Amino acid sequence: SRPNGSFVLSGRSVSPVSRKAEVKCSIAGTMIHAGSSLAGLAVLALTILVHEAGHYLAARSRGIEVDNFSVGFGPALWSFTPEGSRTKFTLRAIPLGGFVSFPPKTQEDPETGETVESDNPNLLQNRPVSDRVLVVSAGVIANIMLAWASLFVSVSAFGVPTLEYRPGVVVTQVLGPESYGAKSGILPGDVILSIDGETVQGGPGSAGDVASLIRTSEGRTIVMEMQRGEEVLNLDVKPKCCSPSGESLLGVQLQPRADVFRLRTTDLDKTISITAGEFMRVTNRTTSGLKDIVTNFGENAKNVSGPIGVVSMGADLARNDQASLLAFCAAISMNLAIVNSLPLPALDGGQMVFLIAEALKGSPVSTRWQEAVNRTALLMFLTFSGFLLFGDIAKLNLMKSLQQLFG
């Protein structure tokens, strides 16, 4: 829908027939957006829940006592303690993560007031290194399993997306009204069928081929045959000449023209094989994306999202189809697994470093030193999360939307 309440059908604007109809459409649109946002929020909550459940179940499987199982940070919104259990399960206000906490090894003697160490064998800190490694690593393992399961369900139920390329390339974006593409009359959604009488062949490299023709045109006028909806027209397009590197510029983004369909298989071995390939693809893209952020943070910082951004992306995908939402769940779960594996304080990888150091030196790293490092890292993590949160709000123009709503 558009801001004035009109809708686009087959590329043409249709004005609302009455205020009553407009209100009905507005309510329906709001319900769709709300449902999609809930789906995005559910994906984020699920990945966090599964991660913390991994820690919790690993601990309980070894008979280790757990104090608190929390999803989120900040004030508690809801909590309960099952009968016969000492573990309190808590839902908190800020969806930036979660934690599983364990009873401390040192406690204050109620009679003397002195701090004493407990020899309770069911405390995490009194367990051998192998048990603690299991508990610490279980969250990452659980997220990896969730990613695999999400992809398996997607492949089994919906199949694998496959592209069938067609002649032409699609203009996905025109970079501003002052760009040479806009001045030549090109609109987003146009399909370039031919250039100077030469048909644009379909294929994964078709957009690159057209872009190359534009860059090497030396600013001369190009005749483009375009498809716009049901209409076919010819445009005289004159790129800007020239950049310092000698290339002509048009100011449009292109992508290959292709129909997407899904191939399903009922063969279990084939399904597992396809899932394995999709899993490796998601893992490689996640690791390469994180590597790009670390090695070139200044340029890629604008692409980093916090929880609101994650929910927004999930909502967009939920409006597409369930298969996309499952793939999104796998990607977020793998992100959580890989990030938590990093050897940084306050993360699972950082705790693993302390355990490896203990195994090598034969004695635990000083508890006071561990706590100081973790507190500092947690403060940095929350500060960074705050920046992400404000960045998400800025990207979504939340304040502007509120002003329009109440203004």
Side-chain angles (χ1 to χ4, degrees):
S1 64
R2 293 184 173 180
N4 66 357
S6 65
F7 290 80
V8 175
L9 302 176
S10 300
R12 296 182 181 179
S13 297
V14 181
S15 299
V17 295
S18 69
R19 179 66 183 170
K20 185 176 180 181
E22 183 179 354
V23 170
K24 286 182 179 179
C25 291
S26 179
I27 293 172
T30 301
M31 292 176 65
I32 291 171
H33 280 280
S36 301
S37 297
L38 286 175
L41 183 61
V43 167
L44 178 62
L46 177 64
T47 57
I48 295 170
L49 180 66
V50 167
H51 182 90
E52 302 307 332
H55 292 308
Y56 173 77
L57 294 174
R60 296 305 299 140
S61 72
R62 306 300 296 171
I64 297 171
E65 296 178 358
V66 178
D67 254 353
N68 199 303
F69 182 114
S70 286
V71 175
F73 295 128
L77 301 177
W78 173 82
S79 66
F80 84 102
T81 303
E83 187 177 349
S85 172
R86 68 165 293 158
T87 305
K88 177 186 285 188
F89 295 85
T90 309
L91 179 65
R92 299 181 182 271
I94 306 173
L96 296 178
F99 62 90
V100 172
S101 63
F102 301 88
K105 183 178 181 179
T106 57
Q107 299 176 349
E108 186 177 298
D109 190 306
E111 297 181 1
T112 65
E114 295 180 354
T115 300
V116 295
E117 289 194 357
S118 172
D119 58 359
N120 181 356
N122 293 328
L123 296 182
L124 178 65
Q125 290 173 294
N126 289 336
R127 286 304 182 92
V129 171
S130 58
D131 282 355
R132 284 178 281 157
V133 165
L134 174 65
V135 173
V136 169
S137 62
V140 169
I141 294 171
N143 277 129
I144 292 173
M145 293 173 65
L146 174 61
W148 176 277
S150 298
L151 292 172
F152 181 81
V153 171
S154 178
V155 171
S156 301
F158 304 104
V160 180
T162 304
L163 297 178
E164 185 175 288
Y165 292 101
R166 299 166 60 191
V169 297
V170 181
V171 179
T172 57
Q173 186 177 357
V174 179
L175 306 180
E178 296 304 314
S179 69
Y180 278 66
K183 291 177 179 178
S184 298
I186 299 175
L187 299 178
D190 285 350
V191 178
I192 303 174
L193 299 176
S194 70
I195 295 179
D196 290 335
E198 293 291 329
T199 300
V200 176
Q201 301 298 323
S206 57
D209 294 340
V210 172
S212 178
L213 286 172
I214 294 171
R215 285 196 298 265
T216 58
S217 65
E218 299 180 345
R220 66 178 177 82
T221 300
I222 301 172
V223 179
M224 289 187 176
E225 183 184 19
M226 314 284 273
Q227 180 176 330
R228 182 174 296 167
E230 299 297 323
E231 183 183 5
V232 176
L233 62 154
N234 291 318
L235 292 180
D236 291 333
V237 176
K238 187 174 178 61
K240 177 183 178 181
C241 183
C242 289
S243 70
S245 61
E247 295 181 341
S248 297
L249 305 173
L250 192 56
V252 297
Q253 290 185 356
L254 308 172
Q255 73 176 24
R257 187 186 186 194
D259 294 325
V260 181
F261 61 95
R262 291 184 173 273
L263 292 177
R264 292 181 59 190
T265 176
T266 56
D267 182 82
L268 180 60
D269 291 339
K270 183 71 172 176
T271 301
I272 292 173
S273 175
I274 294 173
T275 301
E278 290 295 295
F279 180 80
M280 290 306 301
R281 185 179 63 83
V282 169
T283 303
N284 291 336
R285 291 184 64 178
T286 302
T287 52
S288 63
L290 291 173
K291 181 181 176 182
D292 289 343
I293 290 171
V294 172
T295 56
N296 195 4
F297 184 79
E299 187 172 327
N300 292 309
K302 61 182 180 295
N303 298 321
V304 180
S305 294
I308 293 178
V310 170
V311 171
S312 176
M313 287 185 284
D316 290 339
L317 290 170
R319 285 191 286 271
N320 292 335
D321 56 54
Q322 293 173 320
S324 298
L325 195 62
L326 285 167
F328 177 69
C329 179
I332 294 300
S333 196
M334 281 306 301
N335 265 278
L336 194 59
I338 292 171
V339 169
N340 269 281
S341 299
L342 299 176
L344 301 175
L347 298 179
D348 295 341
Q351 301 307 307
M352 195 68 71
V353 170
F354 288 136
L355 292 175
I356 293 172
E358 178 180 339
L360 293 175
K361 70 192 289 269
S363 61
V365 177
S366 166
T367 302
R368 180 176 299 178
W369 192 79
Q370 286 190 53
E371 289 176 350
V373 171
N374 285 332
R375 275 197 301 269
T376 303
L378 184 59
L379 178 61
M380 294 174 62
F381 168 74
L382 291 176
T383 302
F384 181 64
S385 298
F387 281 119
L388 290 181
L389 197 62
F390 283 113
D392 289 343
I393 292 173
K395 290 176 189 174
L396 294 176
N397 261 333
L398 185 59
M399 296 309 296
K400 183 177 179 182
S401 299
L402 290 175
Q403 289 174 357
Q404 291 177 346
L405 182 63
F406 297 107

